Amino acid sequence: MGFVFSKPMNDSLKAQQEFMLMNSRLQLERQLLMQNQMRERQTAMQIAWTREFLKYFGTFFGLAAVGLTAGAIKKKNPGVLLPIVPLSFILAYQYDMGYGTLLQRIKGEAENILDTQSTLLELPKGPLTYEDLEKIRRSQSKFFIEK
């Protein structure tokens, strides 16, 4: 008599387990997609910020270059033009970040580090575990009750 009820229950349990597995995979896939979308949006914001900054800094650089050139000609002292050198490095970096290949080069170097120098990425004392978190939580908690 028990066998009559146990077979449908086993089938039902198996179907429920398959549903839970499918559901957890779907949830993980959605979470990964969401994280990737957030990363892409943050990167797009960074590039847009760099391009906007470049407009203002380019204007400043142009005005500074004209002003320093006029000052160097007026005072007949080429040393007045020296501030243009570091400003031009900043301008070139910002341009490369906003419109050039800097992000591709950074990505390539990051991939190289992941592939060939992964030991640089290890955390001190190894990866954080649940037990480590619990130990920290217990030491900081004022209301912890031992079981």
Side-chain angles (χ1 to χ4, degrees), residues 3-135:
F3 179 73
V4 173
F5 293 115
S6 67
K7 180 147 175 59
M9 286 181 61
N10 283 341
D11 291 343
S12 175
L13 182 62
K14 190 172 186 175
Q16 186 177 10
Q17 287 174 339
E18 288 175 9
F19 174 75
M20 288 173 58
L21 179 63
M22 183 187 67
N23 196 27
S24 65
R25 284 183 181 174
L26 183 62
Q27 185 178 7
L28 179 61
E29 186 177 327
R30 285 179 178 157
Q31 187 176 19
L32 290 172
L33 285 171
M34 183 183 68
Q35 287 175 348
N36 192 47
Q37 284 290 315
M38 291 301 292
R39 182 194 57 79
E40 287 177 356
R41 289 176 186 197
Q42 288 172 343
T43 303
M45 284 294 292
Q46 181 183 8
I47 294 169
W49 183 91
T50 300
R51 289 178 179 178
E52 190 65 24
F53 177 79
L54 184 62
K55 292 174 189 174
Y56 289 97
F57 189 78
T59 303
F60 167 74
F61 180 80
L63 291 173
V66 168
L68 291 173
T69 303
I73 291 171
K74 186 176 181 181
K75 293 189 177 200
K76 298 183 181 177
N77 181 6
V80 175
L81 292 172
L82 277 177
I84 290 179
V85 174
L87 292 176
S88 65
F89 279 103
I90 296 170
L91 182 69
Y93 176 82
Q94 292 296 329
Y95 181 82
D96 196 16
M97 180 77 154
Y99 296 100
T101 60
L102 180 64
L103 290 177
Q104 285 85 8
R105 294 193 315 269
I106 289 172
K107 180 183 171 201
E109 185 61 27
E111 289 172 352
N112 180 44
I113 291 169
L114 287 169
D115 293 339
T116 62
Q117 301 172 340
S118 60
T119 56
L120 296 174
L121 305 174
E122 293 175 3
L123 293 172
K125 296 186 178 183
L128 198 57
T129 64
Y130 176 77
E131 289 79 19
D132 295 335
L133 289 173
E134 278 299 301
K135 185 191 259 185

